[in-house]
Amino acid sequence: MFTHAITRKPGKNFAQGITTSDLETPNYKLMVKQHGAYIQALKSLGLEVIVLDPEPDFPDAYFVEDTALVTPDVAVITNPGAEDRKGEEDTIEPLLSKHRKTICIQPPGTLDGGDVLMVDTHFFIGISERSNWEGAEQLGRILEKYGNSWAAVPVNSGLHLKSCVNFVGDNTLLITEDFADLNEFKGFDKIILNKEEEPAANTLLINDCLIIPKGFPDTRNKLETLGLDIIELDVSEARKMDGGLTCMSIRF
Ligand code: CIR
């Protein structure tokens, strides 16, 4: 059960963040509006939401998820894989240390929170352009210490593991075709995304509610069969910066 979320407002320079998207340049006013709606949605689910100010030196810093992973036992502060994002974690550690013991991933290990998918006490850790083996093993050792299990998953498409796979409750994964047959995900029920709706993979389960991105009707229909409450949010501007729903908060 999540009770808290950390978020950060996007700064005026957010469009200078890293992106591979060929969508048009994002709009600041619309981004602020969509981010505000995101915070409201988290609050409506009863979470205490911490809203940090933008970090002018880090245009991607509102994608706070990448800076930490919080389990019921520990907060792991990451070493973000993108050179331009290293340092975003510095302001997150003191905040989380009020709630959990904190442990930091050490170089040469790199890890982005977007590559860590928590399913109860089992964790999938994506090996991607951002998160390397060393980072995954460091995290894995920390998780094991607290009685959790983990598996590494190669991320050969998409930016992060959670750009492609998310847990939607009831032993079910929302997953892109490319990942659906991986051994690591055997034993789960799967909702496989249509090719045209793959960005909807980045769906966020908060307690008994699914927050889903707007504009993916086939995925919505499939998710409705799970019987959870659904909140649909427009994240068009974050998507232009390769981000989505999970990226904009740290839940615990
Ligand atoms: C980046 O490339 O790092 C950002 N523009 C997007 C990060 C998205 N974060 C996430 O999926 N957890």
Side-chain angles (χ1 to χ4, degrees):
M1 188 81 180
F2 294 129
T3 52
H4 290 75
I6 297 175
T7 64
R8 186 188 296 282
K9 291 181 193 156
K12 286 208 165 89
N13 63 351
F14 84 108
Q16 288 164 24
I18 308 165
T19 188
T20 57
S21 156
D22 47 17
L23 300 168
E24 77 225 26
T25 309
N27 175 287
Y28 175 64
K29 267 198 175 158
L30 188 53
M31 179 72 224
V32 169
K33 191 174 156 211
Q34 293 177 352
H35 193 262
Y38 179 76
I39 289 170
Q40 279 318 313
L42 296 176
K43 285 186 177 166
S44 78
L45 298 173
L47 300 199
E48 186 180 312
V49 184
I50 298 158
V51 184
L52 302 172
D53 284 330
E55 286 231 66
D57 291 343
F58 294 109
D60 272 325
Y62 62 105
F63 292 129
V64 282
E65 169 177 72
D66 292 319
T67 62
L69 163 77
V70 186
T71 79
D73 306 297
V74 66
V76 180
I77 310 301
T78 68
N79 176 26
E83 221 35 60
D84 287 355
R85 300 194 61 190
K86 286 189 200 300
E88 287 182 17
E89 71 283 10
D90 292 350
T91 47
I92 301 296
E93 196 275 337
L95 255 181
L96 284 174
S97 67
K98 293 183 193 149
H99 299 272
R100 299 284 191 282
K101 175 185 166 65
T102 61
I103 303 179
C104 300
I105 298 295
Q106 302 296 335
T110 64
L111 186 76
D112 276 13
D115 278 316
V116 186
L117 174 61
M118 174 165 76
V119 182
D120 300 320
T121 58
H122 186 69
F123 293 74
F124 295 103
I125 309 176
I127 307 297
S128 68
E129 282 182 13
R130 301 292 176 85
S131 304
N132 63 17
W133 267 105
E134 173 60 27
E137 278 177 346
Q138 284 183 36
L139 174 61
R141 281 196 292 270
I142 297 163
L143 292 170
E144 281 169 4
K145 211 170 91 185
Y146 291 98
N148 303 288
S149 54
W150 65 284
V153 182
V155 179
N156 297 323
S157 63
L159 174 61
H160 289 124
L161 180 63
K162 283 187 290 191
S163 316
C164 308
V165 192
N166 278 279
F167 181 62
V168 289
D170 197 20
N171 197 46
T172 306
L173 298 174
L174 177 65
I175 192 162
T176 61
E177 240 175 67
D178 284 354
F179 284 71
D181 291 331
L182 291 186
N183 245 336
E184 288 80 354
F185 299 127
K186 257 194 186 150
F188 284 93
D189 294 329
K190 293 176 194 104
I191 296 177
I192 301 177
L193 291 139
N194 273 353
K195 273 277 172 215
E196 318 78 67
E197 296 207 0
E198 288 196 339
N202 196 256
T203 279
L204 176 57
L205 176 67
I206 301 278
N207 304 333
D208 287 332
C209 182
L210 277 175
I211 307 184
I212 69 171
K214 190 176 163 203
F216 302 98
D218 181 68
T219 308
R220 185 183 174 128
N221 284 340
K222 289 174 176 163
L223 290 171
E224 276 174 352
T225 62
L226 296 170
L228 297 168
D229 289 340
I230 290 184
I231 298 178
E232 200 170 275
L233 291 181
D234 194 348
V235 284
S236 62
E237 304 315 283
R239 261 185 62 205
K240 292 172 187 168
M241 301 310 297
D242 287 348
L245 289 162
T246 70
C247 324
M248 295 190 287
S249 59
I250 300 168
R251 291 77 52 187
F252 57 98

